[in-house]
Amino acid sequence: MAMISNDWQLALKDEFHKAYYKDLYQFVKKEYETTTVYPPSEELFSAFHLTPLHDVKVVILGQDPYHNEGQAHGLCFSVKPEVEIPPSLINIYKELQDDLGCYIPNNGYLVKWAKQGVLLLNTVLTVRAHQAFSHQGKGWEEFTDAAIRALNQEDRPMVFMLWGSPARKKKSMLTNPKHLILEAPHPSPLSAYRGFFGCGHFKKANEYLVKNGQVPIDWQIENV
């Protein structure tokens, strides 16, 4: 498992010494050695590598990684440029089009967002191939909760987009009055029509950032 090397390392250093993390490490190491696990181990902490703690402006929480070949690369909702865009991300793009006028691109590669300060964090960071939620309850939730607590402590305006009930359950951890919390149903085809479409989160996030003297996010993912 690739180690975190930026300021997240300092924020999360205590976690690496806890009993749950040692058990998690051994479990994940064995899974990588004995079966197919996504994302590739070198991309496991991509969300942290691409979006240092001091750069985070917006947080989008996912659940666990995509579990089909070639999809997951460590950022929630994102896939590599050559991979078919998953249904939930297509719905995110549709909302972006309605909200900000962005065109729907031909790829689902969201690294551009991550490099602008959008933390694309799954609450579980690994999954066995073709077995959704197979690594739930192994310790990742405790680790990513520690990351959420570190974000909550940051003394600057930040936007949290909580989509779907698992993400919305994290709201109780977010007590910092400087942060904007936006909630909506999950963008999956099963629930997007219950209020994700029309939520206006992307415009609201940018308005909040500008109001607080920060550069807004350029949400347009370009064609490749």
Side-chain angles (χ1 to χ4, degrees):
M1 284 156 51
M3 287 300 296
I4 300 171
S5 57
N6 57 20
D7 58 356
W8 278 111
Q9 166 68 25
L10 183 62
L12 297 171
K13 69 180 189 305
D14 291 345
E15 302 306 306
F16 299 117
H17 302 292
K18 292 180 179 178
Y20 88 84
Y21 190 86
K22 292 174 182 176
D23 291 343
L24 170 65
Y25 181 89
Q26 291 302 322
F27 168 76
V28 172
K29 183 172 179 284
K30 185 176 181 182
E31 285 284 283
Y32 274 113
E33 290 170 351
T34 59
T35 185
T36 301
V37 174
Y38 300 127
S41 60
E42 65 272 14
E43 295 178 319
L44 188 117
F45 290 125
S46 290
F48 298 105
H49 291 150
L50 288 167
T51 315
L53 178 58
H54 69 272
D55 284 342
V56 176
K57 297 177 178 179
V58 178
V59 180
I60 298 177
L61 292 177
Q63 292 177 249
D64 72 338
Y66 296 125
H67 55 80
N68 289 327
E69 185 177 356
Q71 290 183 309
H73 66 103
L75 303 180
C76 72
F77 294 108
S78 180
V79 291
K80 292 283 181 72
E82 67 278 5
V83 176
E84 184 179 357
I85 304 172
S88 291
L89 183 53
I90 288 174
N91 286 340
I92 291 170
Y93 284 161
K94 286 177 180 177
E95 174 59 21
L96 263 172
Q97 186 175 49
D98 291 343
D99 195 21
L100 293 175
C102 296
Y103 68 82
I104 296 178
N106 62 4
N107 70 95
Y109 195 51
L110 305 182
V111 166
K112 177 183 175 180
W113 292 359
K115 289 182 175 180
Q116 292 180 83
V118 181
L119 182 67
L120 297 163
L121 182 65
N122 279 314
T123 52
V124 175
L125 298 187
T126 54
V127 68
R128 190 181 286 191
H130 315 302
Q131 295 181 40
F133 310 122
S134 49
H135 287 184
Q136 273 191 343
K138 302 297 184 182
W140 280 130
E141 295 90 344
E142 191 166 345
F143 182 77
T144 53
D145 276 359
I148 294 168
R149 285 194 296 272
L151 290 161
N152 185 59
Q153 291 168 5
E154 288 292 292
D155 190 32
R156 65 181 192 277
M158 199 179 291
V159 181
F160 288 81
M161 297 182 181
L162 307 181
W163 299 337
S165 57
R168 292 167 92 164
K169 287 176 183 173
K170 306 298 183 184
K171 184 179 180 179
S172 62
M173 301 173 63
L174 304 174
T175 57
N176 191 325
K178 290 192 175 182
H179 297 167
L180 175 65
I181 301 170
L182 301 173
E183 298 181 74
H186 195 276
S188 83
L190 296 173
S191 56
Y193 290 96
R194 297 185 197 140
F196 177 78
F197 290 137
C199 69
H201 281 187
F202 302 101
K203 183 182 289 183
K204 290 173 183 174
N206 276 356
E207 287 173 351
Y208 194 75
L209 293 173
V210 170
K211 186 177 87 171
N212 286 281
Q214 298 201 53
V215 177
I217 305 298
D218 176 6
W219 293 102
Q220 179 65 68
I221 299 294
E222 288 82 12
N223 286 332
V224 293

